[in-house]
Each structure stands twice: as C-alpha cells, then as structure tokens.
Amino acid sequence: MGSSPQNKPAQIAVVLAFASIYLCWGATYTAMSVGVRLLPPTILAGTRLMISACLLLVFCFFTGKKIFYGRGVMVRLGLLGLMLLFGGNIGLVWSEKYVASGLAALIVAVTPLYVAVIESLLPHGERLQPRGMVGLALGFFALLALLWPSFHDALRPTHGSEMQVLASMVLLLGALSFASGSVLSRRMQLPVHPLVAAGWEMMAASVANLFFATALWQWPQAHWTRDSIASIGYLILFGSLLGFSCYIWLIHHVPVAKVATYAYVNPVVAVILGMVILGETMHVSEGIGMVAVIGAVALVTSSQMKSGRPAAEIEVTPIESES
C-alpha cells in the first residue's frame, strides 16, 4: 500500500506523521503507568476509550463517512473491539501497576511474532521464510531475557515479585488476544472505513471496561487528580486520536513495511521515557532482551512470506495500536 507518484505526500508531512506514531504511541506506556497509580485499570481504560470513541465517531459522521451498518457487521466490530482493545489493552494497563512501563512495552512488542505464528498455523495461512523463522527464534530468546529477572526474584520471594511474574504472564496473554484480533480483522475484511471501525471497536471495549468497573464497584477507588486527568487526556488526544490518525494516513501513503517500524521503535521510546520521567531501571538481561526483541520484530516484519507477500502487510492492520 503506498501513494502513487502523482499523489506523493510532502516529505515533511511523512516525517511529522512518523514522529507522531513513534513518540505519541511510545509515550502512552508512560501515561498509563502514571494513570494506573491513581485510577483502577477498568476506569482508566474505559474512560479513555469511551471519550475517544465518541470523538472519533462524531468526526467520521461530520466528514461524511457511513457510521451504522447491519447487525452482522456491528457484532463483528464489537467482537474485534473486545479482542483488540479489551483483552489486549486491559491486561497492559493492569500490568503496569506491577512492572515498569519500559518492560511492559518490550513484552508487548512480541505481538507481531504472535501474528506470524498464528498465521502460519491457520489453514491456508501465511508462512514465513527462513529469515522470519530466525526472527521468531530470536524473539523467544528475547522473552527469556526479559522475563528472567522477574522469575529469578520469584525463586527467592521478595515483596511484589510474585505479582511481577503474574503481570508479565497477563501481558503475554493480552498480546495474544491483540494478535488474534489482528489476524481475525484481516480475514473478516469488513466493508468499514478504518476510522469508523476503530471508533466502534473502542466503544465496545469501553463498555466492557466500564461494565466491570461498575459491577465490581471500583469507582470509589478512583482518585481524580491533575495527574490522572492528564494521563487520560494524553491517551485520548495523542494515543487514540493523533497517533492513530497519523497511522491510518501513513499506511495509505507510504509502504506498509516502513509503517511497521513503529513496532520496534515504540518500545525503545517507552524504555527511554520510563527511565527519564519515571526513574525506572533496567537489568542487564532486560537490556539484552530489548536488543533481541527489537531485532526479532525487525526480522519478522521485514521478511517475505512464502506467498511472496511482505510479512508487514500481514502484521500491520488498520486498527489502533495496543497502547
């Protein structure tokens, strides 16, 4: 997917759009880490997604896009929203109560590897060439390096070490939910504009989050302070709206393989911001894991499938990033 020579966008526009998805999405991990200290995960995620969904759908309505579809399409959009932005996102938000934002970003970065594995296992699925298989093997090593400090601490229990292990497992399950939803989204090929689809998917996920927030009566636990409101505001404006809009624009104007680079730039941005803003530290093994996971994702997204298609076309879909 890319622009024709006649419609080639201005270089400055491309640079600014890439800067937006690199920095905006990379910083969402930092914003979530701040917000989840003051708000229950369901309220943080549900409020952010509900406001984002309403703003996005109103924008789509006033720009002439079709908003409502038949029951079958709407149900499918709801299912994708639950897989992508409820199952995939709530685990990430909750986990950042117990693991550093940079580490969370690195674990979530394995999502493209999940997508490649799921595709290869499905009937008539896309299978990676040897270069991509090397990337998968490197990704497995990266996960071991990233998770080793938490598991090592759990062997000689210290305060919170068990929760760090649990949070890491929840992150992996959330990434699996997001990857599964990504593959399902591509196979459904719904006749819906990406922005409209994202709006309804956000809406479905927000309803699920707020339902559980109310059912478990977590509202009294919410601390509405300047920091918590700023966290939600950042996630809405820069995570859901600006970042996602730039992403959609990029996949229609530059090669998909280039857009896929966000998958291994965002974790680096998150790690740096976590250290600078939140004072997070990194174990040596986690540093090795960071290099390995970035290399693994780069190998997989840049490899060719056996069908001859670039893997990035399979793994980068017009949906909101997990962050």
Side-chain angles (χ1 to χ4, degrees):
M1 219 183 299
S3 61
S4 63
Q6 295 84 356
N7 300 323
K8 188 174 181 179
Q11 188 65 27
I12 185 63
V14 173
V15 171
L16 290 175
F18 270 109
S20 295
I21 63 171
Y22 287 167
L23 299 177
C24 291
W25 279 352
T28 55
Y29 296 94
T30 306
M32 280 188 282
S33 184
V34 172
V36 81
R37 298 174 186 178
L38 300 164
L39 300 171
T42 51
I43 294 177
L44 175 61
T47 305
R48 169 254 180 129
L49 290 171
M50 176 64 75
I51 297 173
S52 298
C54 291
L55 291 174
L56 193 54
L57 290 173
V58 167
F59 170 79
C60 290
F61 175 79
F62 283 106
T63 53
K65 297 177 179 61
K66 183 179 180 181
I67 302 296
F68 297 101
Y69 292 83
R71 180 183 301 176
V73 172
M74 298 301 287
V75 168
R76 287 175 174 82
L77 288 173
L79 173 61
L80 291 175
L82 293 178
M83 294 179 69
L84 293 164
L85 300 175
F86 179 65
N89 190 258
I90 191 62
L92 169 61
V93 177
W94 177 82
S95 296
E96 288 207 39
K97 294 177 66 175
Y98 305 102
V99 302
S101 62
L103 177 58
L106 290 170
I107 294 175
V108 167
V110 305
T111 300
L113 310 185
Y114 272 143
V115 173
V117 171
I118 294 170
E119 276 287 348
S120 67
L121 295 176
L122 289 175
H124 310 294
E126 301 279 356
R127 285 159 178 78
L128 287 170
Q129 295 283 17
R131 180 178 179 180
M133 298 303 294
V134 171
L136 290 179
L138 183 58
F140 177 74
F141 166 78
L143 278 179
L144 290 179
L146 290 172
L147 299 177
W148 170 247
S150 296
F151 281 104
H152 183 262
D153 290 342
L155 293 176
R156 45 185 184 83
T158 57
H159 179 66
S161 60
E162 296 91 345
M163 291 306 298
Q164 290 177 3
V165 173
L166 177 60
S168 297
M169 295 301 99
V170 170
L171 279 169
L172 289 173
L173 289 175
L176 178 59
S177 176
F178 189 89
S180 301
S182 299
V183 174
L184 185 60
S185 175
R186 187 180 76 88
R187 287 177 172 252
M188 281 184 179
Q189 295 183 334
L190 297 177
V192 183
H193 189 280
L195 290 178
V196 176
W200 287 119
E201 288 161 10
M202 290 181 199
M203 183 68 74
S206 70
V207 169
N209 275 296
L210 296 178
F211 169 81
F212 282 105
T214 303
L216 300 174
W217 199 238
Q218 296 181 330
W219 294 98
Q221 303 171 31
H223 300 286
W224 297 100
T225 67
R226 181 177 62 182
D227 287 345
S228 62
I229 293 173
S231 172
I232 290 178
Y234 181 90
L235 292 171
I236 293 170
L237 180 59
F238 294 99
S240 295
L241 301 181
L242 178 61
F244 183 64
S245 298
C246 289
Y247 169 74
I248 291 296
W249 184 83
L250 282 171
I251 64 174
H252 285 88
H253 290 86
V254 302
V256 174
K258 290 185 178 180
V259 185
T261 56
Y262 85 86
Y264 42 95
V265 173
N266 285 171
V268 177
V269 173
V271 168
I272 294 172
L273 292 178
M275 291 179 171
V276 173
I277 297 177
L278 303 177
E280 297 174 352
T281 58
M282 178 177 287
H283 291 81
V284 174
S285 64
E286 290 173 346
I288 296 172
M290 178 179 72
V291 175
V293 76
I294 292 169
V297 174
L299 282 172
V300 170
T301 56
S302 63
S303 66
Q304 293 290 119
M305 312 300 282
K306 287 193 175 179
S307 65
R309 299 176 61 190
E313 290 187 8
I314 306 300
E315 291 152 12
V316 180
T317 55
I319 50 180
E320 187 189 23
S321 167
E322 182 177 1
S323 60

